Amino acid sequence: MKLLTTALALATLGPEYRFRTTLEAQTGVSPEGKINGPLYFVGRGDPNLSNRKFPFDAKEEFDGPPEKAVIELADQLVAAGVKEISGDIVGDDSYFPRERYPDGWEIDDMVWEYGRSGLRNHH
């Protein structure tokens, strides 16, 4: 199943596709370096947001600190001249469907291997 999913992703997205996690605001940065309003942390399914090494030889093997991708985003804010954010930092998961697991599944199913991999039809 994973090979078929990977083949479909490559055929649909192409080998050059990169997942993007972005920081977005409704206003620009003021001359004083302030963002008025919330800053949105927009996730789009980046499989390496945790900074784990590929291939996954061990469950907890990281390429530096696990928060490396978030630090890089913060560094980009600083490079853009941001010094202050007057609003909240909001995690935006609107890219993903509202249903967290398939119809007929229970939340407890997600702790089992078949629940995480999606290989078993639980209907």
Side-chain angles (χ1 to χ4, degrees), residues 38-88:
L39 180 70
Y40 297 93
F41 185 91
V42 183
R44 294 181 185 87
D46 184 350
N48 197 29
L49 191 60
S50 68
N51 202 33
R52 287 179 62 196
K53 284 187 178 181
F54 291 108
F56 296 146
D57 292 331
K59 288 190 179 219
E60 298 296 329
E61 192 172 1
F62 296 96
D63 185 17
E67 67 277 4
K68 180 181 175 186
V70 176
I71 291 170
E72 289 172 355
L73 285 169
D75 288 345
Q76 290 173 21
L77 277 179
V78 171
V82 175
K83 297 177 182 171
E84 182 181 348
I85 302 165
S86 69
D88 294 326

Side-chain angles (χ1 to χ4, degrees), residues 20-27 35-44 73-74 76-77 85-94:
R20 294 180 331 115
T21 301
T22 58
L23 295 175
E24 301 176 13
Q26 295 175 337
T27 63
I35 293 178
N36 290 310
L39 180 70
Y40 297 93
F41 185 91
V42 183
R44 294 181 185 87
L73 285 169
Q76 290 173 21
L77 277 179
I85 302 165
S86 69
D88 294 326
I89 297 177
V90 179
D92 180 349
D93 66 350
S94 61

